[in-house]
Amino acid sequence: MKNFFFLFFLFFLFSVLRAEEMELPKNLSPQTRQCIGCHKLYTPGIVHDWLKSSHSKTTLEEALKKNELERRVTVKVLPPEFSMIVVGCYECHGQNKEKHTDNFTHFGNKINVVVSPNDCATCHPEEVKQFSGSKKYHAIKNLIQNPLYHALVSTATGVTTYEKGQLVQNNPTELTLHEACLGCHGTEVTVKGFKKVKSLSSGLEITIPDLANWPNQGVGRKNPDGSFGACASCHPRHSFSIEVARKPYTCAQCHLEPDVPAYNVYKESKHGNIFESVGEHVWNFDNVPWQVGRDFTSPTCATCHNSLIVRSDGKVIAQRTHDFGGRLWVRLFGLIYSHPQPKSGDTTIIKNADGLPLPTTFAGKLAEEYLISKDEAEARKELMKNVCSSCHNTDWINGHFKKLDNTIKETNEMTKTATTILLEAWEQKVADNKNPFDEPIERKWVQQWLFYGNSIRYASAMSGAPDYTSFKYGWWELTKNLREMKDYIKKKESKD
Amino acid sequence: MKNFFFLFFLFFLFSVLRAEEMELPKNLSPQTRQCIGCHKLYTPGIVHDWLKSSHSKTTLEEALKKNELERRVTVKVLPPEFSMIVVGCYECHGQNKEKHTDNFTHFGNKINVVVSPNDCATCHPEEVKQFSGSKKYHAIKNLIQNPLYHALVSTATGVTTYEKGQLVQNNPTELTLHEACLGCHGTEVTVKGFKKVKSLSSGLEITIPDLANWPNQGVGRKNPDGSFGACASCHPRHSFSIEVARKPYTCAQCHLEPDVPAYNVYKESKHGNIFESVGEHVWNFDNVPWQVGRDFTSPTCATCHNSLIVRSDGKVIAQRTHDFGGRLWVRLFGLIYSHPQPKSGDTTIIKNADGLPLPTTFAGKLAEEYLISKDEAEARKELMKNVCSSCHNTDWINGHFKKLDNTIKETNEMTKTATTILLEAWEQKVADNKNPFDEPIERKWVQQWLFYGNSIRYASAMSGAPDYTSFKYGWWELTKNLREMKDYIKKKESKD
Amino acid sequence: MKNFFFLFFLFFLFSVLRAEEMELPKNLSPQTRQCIGCHKLYTPGIVHDWLKSSHSKTTLEEALKKNELERRVTVKVLPPEFSMIVVGCYECHGQNKEKHTDNFTHFGNKINVVVSPNDCATCHPEEVKQFSGSKKYHAIKNLIQNPLYHALVSTATGVTTYEKGQLVQNNPTELTLHEACLGCHGTEVTVKGFKKVKSLSSGLEITIPDLANWPNQGVGRKNPDGSFGACASCHPRHSFSIEVARKPYTCAQCHLEPDVPAYNVYKESKHGNIFESVGEHVWNFDNVPWQVGRDFTSPTCATCHNSLIVRSDGKVIAQRTHDFGGRLWVRLFGLIYSHPQPKSGDTTIIKNADGLPLPTTFAGKLAEEYLISKDEAEARKELMKNVCSSCHNTDWINGHFKKLDNTIKETNEMTKTATTILLEAWEQKVADNKNPFDEPIERKWVQQWLFYGNSIRYASAMSGAPDYTSFKYGWWELTKNLREMKDYIKKKESKD
């Protein structure tokens, strides 16, 4: 056995010596230097990724010397252990070990497998705090602990069998949920114990934590240290890139047609057209703060929703936020109607007048006490208008928002009509309301608000994606769908 | 009040002084210099956009010194007021004031809000003249004044309510039309009077024209000076970029699946594949004239449809045109059959043998006197083949067009079959023909020609997007749809 | 007539002299020099394309001097005629003349119109050999000679007419097949004789082979020399670019939603997101071998499926292969169930327990003798895991593949449920099984496995495209579709 390790060591030495020399930062912690010693060979993808990051290029001391607007960290006092070194493997994977049930000893170092927002908070506390107020932070709970949404999830993703002439709906398996809904919302990663695996790249057998519900990068993931979130959802892997997060492709992983077609609509909008034609690889997506005009001349998702935006005189047009609904006054995403943003990121606390955990009743009455006030909504809308005003005049902006208000009103009316037809179907026993999501007419009803209503509202909000508004998941479908729902009742009636 | 303005002035001065110095062109008109004085701070997006444009870099005198093929302006005689200056804010927003009902006094200058093609014609008269002959120029009228298309628009986009067990179709609101059909076709922008607004960026209260049906960038927009068109549809905002117009993302704003999937098909074609892989940010999209081989090695939309294309010896392969149908012999877009291009850009004048304002009858008979002759069609096809011949040999090209001809014939046959079934449905009272666009079987009929037939023809014309031709909005849907239409009749019959 | 040629010659000379000087490689064969003499003027697109290629820059002698991992050619012994020259027009279009029925005399040179894999094999024999074992090599046969698939093709793409109240299905025409299924699978290009054409670019009348089923770039194309394949499908036209082939846009031409949504899913995955945000125009897509980390930090299609991947110490992570299924253990593409990869690229030899030419029975039983063994499957899976291990740890990778295994199992169960319902429909005469692909309920059945099951499996394999898994062609459709199939039976029954 000893001989084996000796041979391995020789082979390893030989491999390392053969490897092309990779230029490493000088001020690495000894632990990080040790990590990279092997991993530059065995997982070169992530080591090179990290080499491109600000983490590998900047010590926290240097980071804190920048003026406040230019700072990428929000910690105020320098943690002494970070003073002279850049942020490497161990600085992130070695944080808050005591909280991490996924901590294990790896070649002498105590390492956490999963780096959590709570670890990132060592240097980025404000960002994590903002995020904690968001619906994204509560993304698992908001989906799974809301009995109505949970029923929708189960009905849509469970294996269905056919027994004695009847379709039998089974509950979805965990693994399928992890790839479907929880692919975006996040899983609950826990530690079941420890296990041995033989590393695919080094061939070594190592002992590691045995993680359940892993891997997963959903934005609301529950981590083995008890925290929520996965910063890598948007700042992926080891480059922790602002550029990646500011480009719309990142948001596109979860915000896509048919249910939340934010990216699809952006691409078709004039803003997206300019970004793709002359912005994508030309503008500066890394500057902090992000200066309108100098750095970019058309917004991406991050411009309006998240980034710290300034103008040339340093005036802040919008403060940075990682509370993704923080600048929003309305929730376009219809449940089942578009409605004012909820006050809390935790939407499970909502109860509407029908006693259901929804922000509106089926008839459209708002669960007002759980939603932001009109004043708050107006204040947020003004803030968003400020962003627009870097390129557009006030009248243009007001005209744009007037159209959006009308679109919200009309698509809500279309949802109401569909709901009325569904209620009639239930009354006439053409469908039964035990599960409101399984029968064909019920699916049509869901599509009315979840696919078509939403698409039109997103298109309106982003000032133009006329084919989404008109034909593709738009008004064409909205009006066709109502006729087909009505037809469904008629046909079923005529049968009985 | 005076104090307030004084304080504001001090604040403004302070802001301007704090602002990063922006390098401005030297030869600005005094009015433009004044505009930029404030707007570089308040709307930096558009000022930076303009700084990247040829307008900010070239005087008309210099522009006219270029040889004819290289010229970006088509005016022949130098307007004296433009001789020594570059084209700035005032040069465009101050044109033809007497015609502009949207002219207003803004900090001492008489300014038009909306710059129209008629204003651009000061330097670009030929482009505007070409455009005036196009269907795009007549885009509002062609849609709204054609009673049949208008019925389609109204049926598809109007709010529908459910009253006493019946669906009630309301007329669409103006605001919804502006975002749907008129988002591409254009609105009629008029001046209702004047109003005061408080500027979001400067905080100043200013008096401005009160515009109706604004904002809108639809290509056939009617402007407050009585002219038609919006050059910014394709040369967006203040960079007036040829690069943007030559990239397919621009055309993609309106030419998308499911009704006119030009961009979707391009992306899947070999031409699009090469553009995206090695062209997008590598080729020269700004050279005038555009030289095949040197500047690009695969076409974009503009190559075949619009741009001035030359080869290395200066031979013109295709003349520039802003009449977007000018190089086309066939109109792939089926109304309801694909047919030869109309002679006039104004398609409301067409009357077919059934007396309907359509280029074909329901049975497929052409309204020949309104359509270009076979000779003209052949001449245009030859011109298009010339473009292909820069990279492909003659036999290849002929083979390609033979396939396209066949595709047009077969998809038209499929439209005819669907129409025959619909007529039977009307005859048998399974549906009623008062409104040919509202009932489910009628929607299927529309999708047959508007979605599926069109998609297949676009895919054929662009030489390959086999998944569009086969499955996605292609033959799979075309054949499935017919069976479902037939089924619809059978089911309804069996009921009665 | 002689005068005409003299005039033409003068004109030609004049044109050539006027043409901008193009810098040509020095070591051209005399034939290639002659080709370019005219073609730089008449088809500048392809000449410039070639100028960018390695072919125009490297002699085979230089190519063979590189060490083995860096070599782009696999021929071992230098063919003497290539020793001192770069690879130009004649070197490819003049190969193996005796085998080419499409050979013709063109301005004194014997030229083949179609360059085939057998010609490329002069320098790239290994690549062609690998390709010959693939399903792509047999792409025409696999589709057209399988009676079941052929029936699907015919039913989906044939013109349908309506005669005496009945839909009449005609066979698809050759020209439509060429644009639909055979656009990807390839046509059989044959020579019908010779013909005269007047060249569009030069105006000269020339005699050329009269090719049938041309043009076509399908990957399994049968060529006039009897060989199969079209290298230009993925290394398009005359740049023969590795970069193009390594970018996902190329694969996207055929691997698209709704049937094989590989590209669509990639775009939505984290890998695709990183590629589009920071890789596309930044990483090195041309290096041979392709080194993880240094050259790229997120995979494209080619990384996992084809390219020679190494790490910094020169260790080969994956050998280059042009057998596109060679690294794959499972065939996600369900026919009708997802199943182990077939042993042979020729799938027409398969016969299942029902005697049908399918890899599984309708009940899901595998035609095991035609499919790879479990051991072989495991070995291939390990190989693929090696690719993942350049960036991911072993546990992460195993967790990923566990989800994929489950997804395959569950989507197969969903196919089985749909098949059971279809069999019931056939039994109850709600549909007839003469043609299993024409009636509406049969189309729903096909979509269950061909569209929805496939999409979910691709999304799972590429580690995440949650909207495909959930809503878009995913579980939402899978469960909805079953209910609609059941409804179809109920409605039809109630009628009778």
Side-chain angles (χ1 to χ4, degrees), chain A residues 268 270 273 277 313 390-391 394-395 403 407 410 417 424 460 467 472 475-476 479-480 486-487 494, chain B residues 18 43 156 160 162 165 173 176 179 195 200 215 233 237 247 253 256-257 259 281 443 447 488 495:
Chain A
E268 291 192 18
K270 187 50 89 186
N273 160 0
S277 300
D313 62 344
S390 314
C391 298
T394 305
D395 194 39
K403 285 194 270 187
T407 296
E410 292 192 7
T417 302
E424 185 177 302
S460 180
D467 248 323
K472 185 155 199 200
W475 276 97
W476 175 263
T479 51
K480 186 177 80 167
K486 179 67 189 161
D487 238 43
S494 73
Chain B
R18 271 189 66 199
T43 55
T160 313
Y162 195 58
T173 57
T176 284
E179 288 190 326
K195 66 181 175 188
L200 284 157
S233 288
R237 299 240 75 207
K247 286 192 172 165
Q253 277 201 265
L256 277 165
E257 77 174 27
D259 52 325
H281 297 288
R443 290 291 178 105
Q447 295 194 177
Y488 189 90
K495 240 175 54 185

Side-chain angles (χ1 to χ4, degrees), chain C residues 458-479:
Chain C
Y458 278 93
S460 179
M462 273 183 263
S463 188
D467 248 322
Y468 268 90
T469 309
S470 306
F471 288 115
K472 185 156 199 197
Y473 297 115
W475 277 96
W476 175 263
E477 294 296 330
L478 211 54
T479 51

Side-chain angles (χ1 to χ4, degrees), chain C residues 303-317:
Chain C
T303 314
C304 301
H305 294 274
N306 302 96
S307 295
L308 169 61
I309 308 293
V310 301
R311 52 186 210 189
S312 63
D313 63 344
K315 191 193 161 190
V316 171
I317 292 170

